[in-house]
Amino acid sequence: MLKNIKPSKTFIGKLSHGMDLLEELTALCIKENITLGRIEGIGAVQKARVGYYNQAEREYQFIEFNSHLEITNLEGNVSIKDNKPFVHAHVTLADEKGNAFGGHLAQGTVIFACEIILHAFEGLELTRSYDDVTGLPLWQD
Ligand code: ZN
């Protein structure tokens, strides 16, 4: 079910070198009090850690890349989980040969450089809670 929301503020900027990408995005949302939003970004990472959700086992498997990679796409959203802003983002990363791979952005991804645009919305409080069917913390209807 889709819901109508309105744009409120848009932020643009770069994230700090050497910091954790997911933690930086979350900290930014908390600082700016963004509880509903969209994140887009490009840049590069010093190393990466992404999740793949094993649907049969209903748990994330994590993949680590200990190499320098381009962020060819970072796309995510912001909603509320456990009464705090929560960032859910996916990344596509490319290596020195242009091979791309990616997954669910996890802690352990270290920024080399990252430019983001963060769109904040208003008009809805969107909260995540445990979903029995998938085992994931999904948006409540
Ligand atoms: Zn995900």
Side-chain angles (χ1 to χ4, degrees):
M1 191 198 319
L2 298 178
K3 292 164 181 171
N4 197 300
I5 53 175
K6 289 192 171 78
S8 58
K9 292 179 179 172
T10 301
F11 300 84
I12 187 166
K14 64 174 185 175
L15 301 179
S16 301
H17 178 87
M19 302 296 281
D20 186 281
L21 179 53
L22 182 59
E23 289 175 5
E24 281 292 282
L25 294 171
T26 303
L28 197 58
C29 292
I30 291 169
K31 179 172 173 271
E32 299 294 343
N33 198 28
I34 297 166
T35 55
L36 189 64
R38 175 184 172 202
I39 297 167
E40 54 185 306
I42 53 173
V45 295
Q46 300 176 49
K47 63 177 189 168
R49 183 166 169 267
V50 296
Y52 166 84
Y53 191 67
N54 183 318
Q55 297 175 18
E57 301 293 329
R58 292 162 64 107
E59 64 180 22
Y60 277 100
Q61 300 165 193
F62 292 95
I63 310 160
E64 293 191 27
F65 301 100
N66 284 306
S67 53
H68 299 165
L69 300 165
E70 293 290 314
I71 304 169
T72 55
N73 189 53
L74 162 69
E75 177 71 39
N77 57 59
V78 187
S79 57
I80 299 169
K81 185 174 171 233
D82 302 325
N83 298 311
K84 294 182 297 234
F86 177 82
V87 173
H88 179 202
H90 286 194
V91 284
T92 306
L93 304 162
D95 67 14
E96 75 278 13
K97 291 181 177 159
N99 296 309
F101 32 81
H104 176 99
L105 178 64
Q107 279 179 326
T109 300
V110 178
I111 300 163
F112 182 74
C114 188
E115 300 169 348
I116 65 151
I117 301 175
L118 174 49
H119 307 271
F121 301 101
E122 59 189 16
L124 181 69
E125 196 159 274
L126 198 54
T127 303
R128 291 185 180 277
S129 60
Y130 182 79
D131 175 66
D132 280 330
V133 176
T134 62
L136 290 165
L138 299 183
W139 288 332
Q140 288 178 337
D141 284 326

